Every structure is written in structure tokens, then in C-alpha cells.
Amino acid sequence: MDTHPRICSRPVNGLAEEDTVMTDNNAYEALESLGAAPLWRFYGNLFPAQPKSRAVPHRWSWRELRPHLLHFSETLSLDEAERRVLMLVNPGLTDPPATVNTLYAGLQIILPGETAQAHRHTSNAFRFILEGSGAWTTVNGERVFMSPGDLLLTPGWHWHDHTHEGDAPMIWLDALDYPLVNALEAGFYEKYPQRLQPVTRPDDAGTRQFLHGRLNPVWLTQDGPNSPVSRYTWDETRRALEGISDTAAGSDVDGIVLEYTNPWTGGPVMPTIGCRIQRLRPGFQGAGYRHTASTIFTVVRGEGTTIVDGERLEWSGNDTFAVPGWASYRHLNHSASDDAVLFSYSDEPVMRSLGLYRAEDADPGA
């Protein structure tokens, strides 16, 4: 019941005419048409006590998805699809589709003899190679070759296309920050005039010039916020993981964890995406933790479990799983003899740059 009637004055020829009784009900209805809303009705939703992501913990099975990729590679041409990709859609983020609230993951396949149309977009992207050989992506005139375990960067607004001259399917994990870019309403997209761009730089130039630890070429200067390394090879990554003595303590949460870095800054490879690789020793029982960054993991090797807010995500080779921001998690390697290796990427650089990163010990249960 409306208990607050008011006499409202309506101006007529500059004079007030008191002829309308305003009630709370018709005042609330009128506010919407005036482009206004009462803050007191929304206050609790606008300022929650702590974050609660719409994304949910979820695992995508490589064993179950790979046959569908192979099926569509035979029935759907790249002329029809432009990119033949299975999106990894979080059950809590179906419209628009995303894997976590700011990041996307998908599985892309290209067959021997195929090429994929050159295009560019403002979203940052990378490829983490899962299977195959004999393919490359050309990024702003530089051919960047692919092998399993390689991390290939495609920074925003860089032309990129794909070519496969091997003899078996090539499959990789696609990662983009388009959910974030689109939420900021800053997305642009453009197709190249021809199917493939010309090669104008030496092959793997960024990798050969920069992937030498702290030895950077002094005749070059930083050009933009992204890492100049076009491909972080698995050979280099494996050497780094194996080079760390088994006596190193590592992290009680993430084991022996290394970050892919920009050699110019020492920071993340892209301003919106941070990438890491971690080794969980045999029998590893991680401590519980949570942070405001949303994270996507892909299993490079091994089998194990990640408990996220009480839900057990059982994973094995090439599976992908999501840990939403502020969800409590812990990793477990059940093997008594073999390491497990996880690749991950997150929006931690965004959270840190905005002053929103927060982390604490937390028990995920189960």
C-alpha cells in the first residue's frame, strides 16, 4: 500500500496548478521513463560484500571433444566457417558465450593443405598447440611455426592467418580476451583483402631475437605493450621446468610455477592476459587459495584433480578447466611417480593494473 501521497504541482503558463496526487507507485513508474532509478532499491546488488562470478567451475574433456572436432573438419570447409573452432562455453556464461567472465577458450583444427583467411581484431589472442606439426600462423608478415606445447602470441590488431603443410590434423587451444574487450565496447574487426598476407619478415624472428633469457637485442626498442616474442617454444619451457632442482620449494599452492614474460618489461606477455606453466610433483597436495583473477587451465601432461568451491574437477591430458575469480581451489596430483604439468592464463594483469587484485588462503572443501 502506498502510504506517502503527495500533492503535485504542474506548471501551466508559468503558474503551478495543483491537480495531481503523486504516490510512491506512480513516482517509481515515472522514474523509468525519465532515465532514473532509486539507488536504495539496488544498493545491495551494486555493492556486494564479495565477488560472485556468473562463471562456474567446469571441465571440458579433450577425449570427448576431439572426435567432434575431427567430424566437423571433414564436413565443414574453412570457406564456410572461416575458423573451424569449438568454443568452450561456461554453463554460467552462455549469452554471450565465454569461458570465464573476461576470457575465452576454444579448440581449433586445420587439416593438411588448408589455409585460414587473414584477419585482425582488437582482442588480444594466443595459441597453445596441442597436436600436430607442419603448420604455421603468419602474424604481421612473420611466419610463426607450431609444435605441441608452444605458446604463440597474436597481439590485438595484428594481421594473422594459418597455413598447414603437414600430413595430419593440427589442433590448438585458441585464447582471446574478447569478453573483456566487448564489455568495454572497444571491439574492432577487419578482413585482409587477400586470403593470405605476404611474408615480410624472417621466420620466427621474434622468437630467435628475444627468447634468450635476459639477453635482449640492443638495436631494437619496445614497440607497444605486448611481448615481442612471437613463439615461446615448448623446448625452452621444458628446459626451464626441468632446470629447476627438485630441492626448490616452489609454491605450496601451485607447485613449481613459472610465468611467461615480456622481455622488455619483465611483466605479462599481454596487458590483458598473463600466462603460466606449472609442474605439480608426484603426490602434490596443493594448499587452498583464492584470488580475484579468473583463470583457465589446460593439462599438458599427467592426471589429477582440482577442487573448486567444493566441486572436484578430474582432469587428464589436453583437458581444459575454468576456475572463476574468487573461487577457492586446490590442485592434487594423484600419481606417486609422475609429474603433472598445467598451462594456464588469466586476467590477473587487468586486475593488478586496476588495483582490484586480491588473494588469500581459502579452503575449497571436498
Side-chain angles (χ1 to χ4, degrees):
M1 177 181 294
D2 191 338
T3 59
H4 302 90
R6 296 287 187 272
I7 302 298
C8 239
S9 298
R10 184 180 64 186
V12 179
N13 296 328
L15 300 175
E17 178 184 327
E18 294 186 349
D19 63 353
T20 304
V21 176
M22 179 176 288
T23 65
D24 282 359
N25 287 341
N26 59 31
Y28 283 130
E29 292 173 1
L31 283 177
E32 184 175 357
S33 66
L34 295 171
L39 173 63
W40 56 89
R41 283 192 163 186
F42 296 90
Y43 200 84
N45 294 329
L46 296 177
F47 301 98
Q50 62 181 19
K52 178 60 178 175
S53 179
R54 290 194 299 120
V56 299
H58 193 75
R59 178 189 66 94
W60 291 267
S61 167
W62 166 257
R63 182 180 60 81
E64 294 175 351
L65 286 171
R66 186 176 180 275
H68 294 280
L69 265 179
L70 295 173
H71 167 78
F72 284 111
S73 73
E74 298 294 340
T75 62
L76 184 70
S77 74
L78 287 183
D79 288 331
E80 296 172 286
E82 184 168 342
R83 295 291 193 270
R84 198 188 288 116
V85 181
L86 295 183
M87 307 172 73
L88 304 186
V89 181
N90 192 289
L93 299 170
T94 59
D95 187 20
T99 310
V100 292
N101 62 322
T102 55
L103 299 170
Y104 155 88
L107 297 175
Q108 182 165 174
I109 186 169
I110 185 171
L111 298 180
E114 290 187 326
T115 60
Q117 168 70 43
H119 66 207
R120 63 180 178 178
H121 36 69
T122 43
S123 295
N124 291 305
F126 70 76
R127 273 148 266 293
F128 187 78
I129 310 306
L130 301 176
E131 178 182 308
S133 62
W136 65 84
T137 182
T138 304
V139 181
N140 270 10
E142 175 187 343
R143 293 200 304 177
V144 185
F145 289 83
M146 303 179 180
S147 291
D150 290 354
L151 169 65
L152 281 67
L153 302 187
T154 308
W157 212 236
H158 282 46
W159 294 111
H160 53 285
D161 54 62
H162 311 308
T163 300
H164 188 12
E165 292 186 354
D167 55 10
M170 196 87 197
I171 304 175
W172 60 80
L173 179 82
D174 262 340
L176 293 96
D177 62 6
Y178 79 73
L180 172 64
V181 172
N182 289 351
L184 295 173
E185 299 180 348
F188 292 86
Y189 170 87
E190 184 179 0
K191 275 190 179 182
Y192 196 74
Q194 289 80 45
R195 185 165 183 82
L196 301 177
Q197 62 184 293
V199 176
T200 58
R201 302 183 64 208
D203 292 348
D204 276 327
T207 298
R208 291 188 289 109
Q209 288 177 336
F210 284 93
L211 201 59
H212 305 289
R214 286 316 217 175
L215 301 173
N216 292 343
V218 298
W219 64 91
L220 298 177
T221 57
Q222 184 174 356
D223 180 20
N226 303 289
S227 170
V229 180
S230 47
R231 175 169 64 128
Y232 294 81
T233 67
W234 177 247
D235 285 344
E236 291 285 344
T237 303
R238 185 185 67 247
R239 253 195 300 273
L241 283 175
E242 293 175 351
I244 295 177
S245 168
D246 281 338
T247 61
S251 161
D252 61 352
V253 174
D254 291 309
I256 301 297
V257 58
L258 306 177
E259 182 163 9
Y260 298 84
T261 58
N262 180 337
W264 288 125
T265 66
V269 294
M270 294 177 177
T272 55
I273 304 175
C275 297
R276 293 178 178 173
I277 193 84
Q278 64 194 95
R279 170 189 169 199
L280 308 180
R281 294 185 176 116
F284 181 81
Q285 303 280 311
Y289 204 62
R290 66 179 176 182
H291 47 66
T292 48
S294 297
T295 310
I296 299 168
F297 292 85
T298 290
V299 183
V300 179
R301 184 172 73 237
E303 298 180 354
T305 301
T306 297
I307 304 170
V308 188
D309 279 351
E311 183 171 348
R312 298 179 67 90
L313 304 179
E314 310 284 348
W315 42 259
S316 57
N318 289 349
D319 285 354
T320 297
F321 61 94
V323 177
W326 209 239
S328 303
Y329 71 95
R330 62 189 297 250
H331 300 302
L332 311 174
N333 178 5
H334 301 308
S335 174
S337 57
D338 297 324
D339 288 342
V341 177
L342 304 177
F343 169 81
S344 66
Y345 61 105
S346 78
D347 60 5
E348 183 174 328
V350 176
M351 293 298 179
R352 288 192 180 276
S353 66
L354 295 176
L356 299 175
Y357 185 77
R358 184 181 296 195
E360 65 182 25
D361 296 337
D363 182 4

